[in-house]
Amino acid sequence: MANYKSLYQEVILDHNKKPRNYGTIEHPSHHAVGHNPLCGDHITVDIVLGERIDNIAFEGESCAICKASASMMTTAIKGKTRAEAETLIQEFLAMATGKLSHDACPNIGRLAVFAGVSDLPTRVKCAILPWHTLHGAFNAVATTSTEAEEDPMHAPIGDA
């Protein structure tokens, strides 16, 4: 368990300091803005989607967990089909909210470092905001929020 927590901290710090795919795309085919009103995280996700996700970028003001989650998300889904990305969205949300163990998520890969976030209810929404925003972008939802009434996934997250 200590190694897992150490890896989690190491990955979060690395992706927070050097976020991958950070910035904007001039002419994205899909775009959405995500907001977590509980902590103030605010990000945008731009995608160029053909048969596969040709390019993806994110930008915004967010905490280290949100930025690391967005960075790892963009790395994980670049080059995947939309269906593969949607599967990964569902697995990540289920794992981060504690509904599924990372062992039950066959596509989660390195994103399993976020499994422990389910033990930190106040941080769950920080980790899932990029994924909600990506889902919103795929479904032409211009603005999304981690709050249930505006949540395009209709997935309330415990008491957080």
Side-chain angles (χ1 to χ4, degrees), residues 4-5 16 21 38 44 56 63 78 89 109 127-128 130 133 144 146:
Y4 182 75
K5 285 185 177 180
N16 184 48
N21 303 304
L38 295 179
T44 62
I56 181 168
C63 67
K78 192 181 273 186
I89 290 169
I128 66 173
T133 308
T144 185
T146 54

Side-chain angles (χ1 to χ4, degrees), residues 29-32 82 86 133-144 152:
S29 60
H30 297 71
H31 170 85
R82 179 178 172 170
E86 294 275 11
T133 308
L134 175 62
H135 184 77
F138 280 146
N139 293 287
V141 177
T143 303
T144 185

Side-chain angles (χ1 to χ4, degrees), residues 39-123:
C39 72
D41 289 345
H42 185 265
I43 67 167
T44 62
V45 172
D46 293 336
I47 307 167
V48 176
L49 179 65
E51 287 185 30
R52 296 190 171 271
I53 297 167
D54 297 325
N55 199 4
I56 181 168
F58 78 99
E59 188 176 69
E61 296 292 324
S62 61
C63 67
I65 291 173
C66 183
K67 188 182 287 182
S69 179
S71 176
M72 290 186 72
M73 174 189 77
T74 61
T75 301
I77 71 158
K78 192 181 273 186
K80 294 198 180 307
T81 65
R82 179 178 172 170
E84 292 169 334
E86 294 275 11
T87 297
L88 196 51
I89 290 169
Q90 296 307 318
E91 286 186 6
F92 186 88
L93 293 175
M95 178 191 71
T97 57
K99 293 178 182 167
L100 285 178
S101 160
H102 70 280
D103 294 331
C105 301
N107 302 296
I108 210 74
R110 296 187 62 181
L111 295 164
V113 297
F114 285 95
V117 80
S118 65
D119 296 334
L120 308 166
T122 59
R123 307 312 297 210

Side-chain angles (χ1 to χ4, degrees), residues 132-133 135-136 139 141 143-155:
H132 277 282
T133 308
H135 184 77
N139 293 287
V141 177
T143 303
T144 185
S145 170
T146 54
E147 295 310 297
E149 51 274 3
E150 297 178 24
D151 182 353
M153 303 184 73
H154 307 289

